């Protein structure tokens, strides 16, 4: 069938709307008519060449919509179902078998390979192959080929056009709090960076009834939003050394810290702000893959500290997305407050607005 997709022709090029031919779903694949698709930092990083992907190609990995066809052997979703689309995984490696698909041994091939395992992409423009299967979806388009394994059937009443970001950015921030750090009631949580991932961590910390939720963020508008969403304190890093500002609020140090910035000085200050048996969760992706930070040898054992790297919030999307939607339906996880919708054909303007910080999280609607 012919669809319209936001094709990136080469590294650094803008998104260009192009009519492309999409194959019918292969065995195990699911054809989704896209209702909404979020723009995540990873889309931009790939477009700018900081992460590998073949071009020309179609990005987009926070899609959602309606199933319009299924391939052979698909049994868990059917035509007409509303679905969110998350990251893909192999389902058979040791980590997938242990219900840790975010650490799939084949994560790069299944999410950044740009093709099916047999090398085909299912997508072509004027007879020329176009890379697809980005995060098992390539959903910056009117339609996307996903997989039975990475589509999540939505409960009745879920806002189908808004749920795409649950499959990546929101799941990452919330999962860090719920799954990775397992934040306990009455505790103190630091969150560095009030972008969509950090604010999702704030929403989750509120659900977990953390007593103090301290957000570190340089932009005034985002600090204000953090307070609206349940942060108890906000810190402007320009007002002085972070660890000193944090100790003024919690003299004994924090129980948990979530870093979304991947800024070396911020990470070191978070580590210095942990209390006894504190846990630092690292979510941010550094601009420089060689970036390092220093850890003393004295305090971590003395205080029983933990440093924890986290991908996709340690989530299994099949269970975690329905959990988040159940909280949302109860009014306890208002993730829609993070989202601004714009038409898909305004994608280049939307990306620019998100990079400027005018918009926190855009969801594009075809
Ligand atoms: Zn796997
Ligand atoms: Zn993402």
């Amino acid at each position: 069938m012919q669809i319209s997709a936001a094709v990136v022709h080469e590294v650094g090029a803008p998104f260009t709307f192009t009519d492309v031919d999409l194959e019918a779903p292969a065995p195990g694949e699911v054809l989704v008519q896209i209702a909404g698709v979020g723009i995540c930092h990873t889309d931009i990083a790939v477009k700018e060449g900081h992460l590998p992907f073949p071009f020309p190609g179609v990005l987009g990995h926070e899609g959602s919509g309606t199933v319009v066809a299924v391939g052979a052997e698909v049994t868990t979703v059917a035509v007409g179902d509303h679905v969110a689309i998350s990251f893909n995984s192999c389902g058979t490696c040791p980590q997938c078998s242990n219900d840790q698909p975010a650490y799939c041994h084949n994560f790069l091939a299944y999410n950044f390979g740009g093709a099916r395992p047999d090398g085909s992409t299912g997508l072509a423009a004027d007879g020329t192959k176009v890379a697809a299967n980005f995060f098992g979806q390539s959903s910056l388009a009117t339609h996307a080929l996903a997989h039975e394994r990475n589509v999540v059937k939505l409960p009745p009443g879920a806002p189908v056009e808004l749920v795409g970001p649950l499959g990546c950015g929101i799941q990452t921030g919330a999962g860090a709090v719920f799954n990775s750090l397992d934040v306990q009631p009455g505790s103190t949580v630091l969150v560095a960076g009030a972008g969509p991932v950090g604010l999702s961590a704030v929403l989750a910390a509120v659900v977990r009834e953390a007593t103090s939720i301290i957000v570190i963020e340089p932009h005034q508008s985002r600090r204000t939003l953090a307070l609206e969403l349940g942060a108890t304190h906000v810190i402007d890093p320009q007002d002085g050394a972070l660890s000193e500002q944090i100790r003024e609020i919690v003299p004994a140090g924090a129980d948990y810290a979530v870093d979304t910035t991947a800024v070396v000085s911020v990470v070191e200050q978070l580590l210095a702000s942990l209390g006894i048996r504190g846990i630092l969760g690292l979510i941010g992706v550094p601009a420089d893959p060689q970036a390092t930070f220093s850890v003393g040898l004295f305090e971590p054992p003395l205080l029983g500290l933990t440093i924890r790297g986290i991908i996709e919030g340690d989530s299994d999307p099949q269970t975690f997305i329905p959990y988040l939607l159940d909280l949302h339906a109860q009014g306890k996880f208002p993730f829609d407050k993070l989202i601004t919708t714009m038409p898909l054909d305004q994608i280049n303007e939307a990306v620019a607005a998100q990079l400027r910080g005018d918009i926190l999280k855009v969801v594009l609607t075809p």
Side-chain angles (χ1 to χ4, degrees):
M1 67 185 286
Q2 199 167 61
I3 68 162
S4 181
V7 176
V8 176
H9 287 277
E10 58 187 16
V11 166
F15 294 99
T16 307
F17 274 91
T18 310
D19 289 336
V20 289
D21 294 308
L22 187 67
E23 287 177 13
E29 290 183 345
V30 176
L31 177 62
V32 180
Q33 181 175 358
I34 298 299
V37 48
I39 294 279
C40 177
H41 178 74
T42 307
D43 294 301
I44 310 304
V46 170
K47 178 174 166 297
E48 299 305 322
H50 303 312
L51 289 166
F53 194 71
F55 293 113
V58 177
L59 302 172
H61 66 287
E62 291 188 339
S64 62
T66 305
V67 174
V68 291
V70 297
E73 300 158 23
V74 172
T75 58
T76 55
V77 291
V79 170
D81 284 348
H82 287 173
V83 292
I85 319 174
S86 192
F87 64 89
N88 201 11
S89 55
C90 78
T92 55
C93 73
Q95 291 299 330
C96 285
S97 301
N98 194 30
D99 198 26
Q100 293 289 345
Y103 302 97
C104 175
H105 291 212
N106 302 301
F107 194 90
L108 275 179
Y110 272 71
N111 293 282
F112 291 91
R116 298 169 172 136
D118 70 358
S120 67
T121 72
L123 206 59
D126 296 328
T128 304
K129 187 159 96 173
V130 173
N133 205 31
F134 183 58
F135 279 74
Q137 50 184 292
S138 289
S139 47
L140 282 168
T142 56
H143 298 74
L145 280 179
H147 306 266
E148 183 173 33
R149 187 167 165 78
N150 74 328
V151 297
V152 178
K153 191 172 167 177
L154 301 180
V160 60
E161 73 282 1
L162 298 183
V163 300
L166 294 179
C168 187
I170 293 174
Q171 162 172 277
T172 294
V177 166
F178 285 126
N179 304 326
S180 319
L181 303 183
D182 189 19
V183 166
Q184 296 296 304
S187 60
T188 298
V189 183
L190 306 174
V191 178
V197 175
L199 290 174
S200 299
V202 170
L203 292 177
V206 172
V207 173
R208 281 294 177 94
E209 298 177 348
T211 305
S212 297
I213 304 169
I214 303 167
V215 173
I216 299 138
E217 165 60 46
H219 296 290
Q220 171 68 52
S221 62
R222 293 189 174 193
R223 290 197 300 272
T224 304
L225 181 59
L227 289 169
E228 285 171 21
L229 295 174
T232 58
H233 304 77
V234 288
I235 288 176
D236 181 349
Q238 281 133 18
D239 285 350
L242 280 183
S243 62
E244 286 173 22
Q245 293 197 66
I246 293 165
R247 294 278 175 178
E248 274 178 30
I249 301 167
V250 277
D255 300 305
Y256 311 95
V258 178
D259 177 70
T260 71
T261 69
V263 173
V264 171
S265 59
V266 173
V267 172
E268 290 177 345
Q269 291 285 298
L270 290 179
L271 190 59
S273 303
L274 290 177
I276 291 170
R277 300 192 70 215
I279 311 176
L280 169 61
L282 299 178
I283 300 179
V285 180
D288 172 11
Q290 309 298 329
T292 59
F293 70 99
S294 60
V295 181
L297 280 170
F298 182 68
E299 287 200 332
L302 188 72
L303 301 179
L305 304 181
T306 303
I307 299 172
R308 179 79 160 74
I310 302 166
I311 290 285
E312 296 281 353
D314 293 344
S315 308
D316 178 348
Q318 296 295 342
T319 51
F320 194 57
I321 290 176
Y323 172 68
L324 294 178
L325 286 169
D326 183 46
L327 288 172
H328 179 257
Q330 297 176 52
K332 293 179 179 170
F333 190 77
F335 72 91
D336 49 293
K337 290 184 180 171
L338 309 179
I339 292 172
T340 303
T341 56
M342 287 176 71
L344 179 58
D345 59 11
Q346 291 180 25
I347 181 170
N348 291 305
E349 295 89 328
V351 168
Q354 195 164 302
L355 287 176
R356 282 195 307 268
D358 299 351
I359 294 177
L360 193 68
K361 178 73 161 184
V362 70
V363 165
L364 300 161
T365 55

